[in-house]
Amino acid sequence: MEWERAKNILLIAFVILNLGLAGLLFLEDRRYTLSSDRVSHINMVLSENNINLYTTLMRRFAPMRHLDISGFYYDIDMLLEIFFEDVTDVVQEEAYLFTRGSQRLEISNGFISFDNNHNLGENRTAISRAEAIATAENFVMQHFPDFVRDIVFDEDRGIWVIYRQEYRGQLIYSNRIEIFVTSYGITLIDMQFGQVLGHGATPRMIFAPDEVLLTFMQRMRYYRAIHDPIFIVSMDMVYLQEFASDQPEQIYPAVPFYRIFIHDTDLPFLINAYTNVMTE
C-alpha cells in the first residue's frame, strides 16, 4: 500500500516537472520569436521610409553558434583532373599556374580561377537561364555535391550561376563556386572554400530580424530610398567567414549573417547577426 502511494506521488511529481519544463520551453521560444505587434511595427516604420517588405519576415532569432572553418587548401592533382580533359598536356607555367592550350587554371592566395578563354565576340549566340543552370548544375553535382545553387543573374555576355556550400541546412556564403556560362559552355569559374570543421561550443545572442531591418533602413533611406522606393524581396540567414588564410592549419570562424535581397539588385546586403553591422 505504501509502495503504491509512493509510486503515485512520484508519478504526480514527474508530471508536474514535465509541465514546468514545457512552460519554460514555451517562454524561451516566445523570448526568441517576433511578436505580431513587432512585425506590424517594423512594416509600418519601413513603409514610412519608402521601404516595402515583399516577403515573409523571419520570426525566430534564437542564439547561434559560429562555424570553425580551416584556411583554404586544395588538392592540386584533383583540381587538374576536374578542369583539364587530359592532364598529360597541362603545362605548369608557375608554382600555381597551369595551362593547356587556351585554358588556364590559377590558384592564388586561396582563390581558384579557371578560364576557358573562349572567344566571346560577335559569333556567340544567346543562352537561356535554363540551359545555363543545367550546364552549371551538371559540373557542380559531379565534382562538388555539397554545394547548392544560390544566385543566378545575367550579364551581357552570358549568365552567372553561383553556388554555396551547405552544412546541416545552412549556407556558407564564403564557401562559393561562381560559374559563368555562355553558348560555348562553361567559360569562367571562380572558387574559394575552406574545410568546415564544425560548430563552436557556445551559442551567442543574435539581433532580431526587425532590429536588423532598422539598420538596413538607416543605411538605405539616404542612399536610395529618399528618391525611389525599395522593395525587399527576400531575407534569410547564412554563415560568412570574414577573415581567412591560405594556410590550412589556420582556423577562422564563420558567423551568422542576415542577407537582404532587394528588387533589381542581384547581390544581397549582408548584416552581421552578432553585431548588427552591415558590411561595406
Side-chain angles (χ1 to χ4, degrees):
M1 191 69 178
E2 291 297 325
W3 172 238
E4 288 297 324
R5 183 180 178 186
K7 284 198 299 183
N8 288 335
I9 292 172
L10 287 172
L11 180 61
I12 292 170
F14 182 73
V15 170
I16 293 172
L17 176 62
N18 276 276
L19 288 173
L21 289 174
L24 289 173
L25 288 173
F26 175 74
L27 291 174
E28 186 73 2
D29 184 71
R30 287 192 61 185
R31 179 184 177 190
Y32 298 118
T33 302
L34 285 184
S35 67
S36 297
D37 286 344
R38 287 179 65 173
V39 172
S40 298
H41 184 259
I42 189 61
N43 272 286
M44 179 185 69
V45 172
L46 291 174
S47 179
E48 289 173 351
N49 287 273
N50 212 18
I51 299 174
N52 303 278
L53 197 60
Y54 274 68
T55 184
T56 302
L57 182 61
M58 300 173 64
R59 302 288 292 270
R60 291 283 294 153
F61 55 99
M64 296 181 66
R65 295 181 293 170
H66 72 265
L67 282 175
D68 286 325
I69 300 181
S70 74
F72 304 123
Y73 172 76
Y74 311 111
D75 184 327
I76 302 298
D77 292 333
M78 182 191 75
L79 292 177
L80 294 177
E81 291 284 349
I82 289 173
F83 290 111
F84 298 107
E85 293 181 6
D86 186 355
V87 296
T88 61
D89 293 344
V90 174
V91 177
Q92 187 169 359
E93 304 280 356
E94 299 173 11
Y96 296 104
L97 175 61
F98 305 88
T99 61
R100 179 179 180 268
S102 62
Q103 297 177 320
R104 171 190 175 100
L105 172 65
E106 184 174 10
I107 305 168
S108 176
N109 298 321
F111 293 92
I112 298 171
S113 180
F114 176 70
D115 186 349
N116 247 345
N117 199 24
H118 287 300
N119 177 17
L120 299 181
E122 295 299 325
N123 293 328
R124 68 180 175 86
T125 57
I127 183 171
S128 70
R129 278 198 168 207
E131 291 175 299
I133 290 171
T135 299
E137 203 84 3
N138 182 61
F139 172 84
V140 171
M141 290 301 297
Q142 183 177 355
H143 301 294
F144 303 96
D146 55 342
F147 281 70
V148 297
R149 187 170 75 251
D150 183 31
I151 300 172
V152 181
F153 61 89
D154 299 349
E155 248 191 28
D156 290 340
R157 301 176 301 159
I159 294 172
W160 282 102
V161 188
I162 301 177
Y163 292 79
R164 315 281 181 195
Q165 188 174 12
E166 186 176 46
Y167 180 78
R168 297 186 178 180
Q170 292 280 170
L171 292 186
I172 304 174
Y173 191 82
S174 42
N175 279 10
R176 60 183 177 81
I177 301 173
E178 301 181 0
I179 302 175
F180 188 61
V181 187
T182 70
S183 57
Y184 297 101
I186 292 177
T187 303
L188 300 169
I189 299 178
D190 289 324
M191 306 165 61
Q192 184 184 46
F193 51 84
Q195 181 183 0
V196 182
L197 303 175
H199 283 101
T202 307
R204 285 180 56 184
M205 298 281 290
I206 65 172
F207 278 82
D210 57 344
E211 297 170 317
V212 169
L213 285 170
L214 286 175
T215 295
F216 174 80
M217 181 197 75
Q218 289 165 359
R219 173 70 68 88
M220 297 298 292
R221 63 180 173 180
Y222 297 116
Y223 165 68
R224 176 169 170 177
I226 195 172
H227 301 295
D228 301 300
I230 290 176
F231 300 94
I232 297 174
V233 295
S234 179
M235 182 178 183
D236 64 6
M237 182 83 74
V238 296
Y239 279 94
L240 173 63
Q241 189 182 34
E242 293 185 277
F243 306 100
S245 166
D246 59 358
Q247 301 300 312
E249 69 277 4
Q250 297 291 327
I251 299 174
Y252 294 91
V255 303
F257 270 73
Y258 287 96
R259 291 196 306 181
I260 298 174
F261 291 86
I262 66 174
H263 176 66
D264 76 16
T265 301
D266 295 314
L267 297 178
F269 296 89
L270 296 165
I271 300 179
N272 190 312
Y274 287 155
T275 64
N276 201 13
V277 173
M278 183 184 290
T279 59
E280 295 297 333

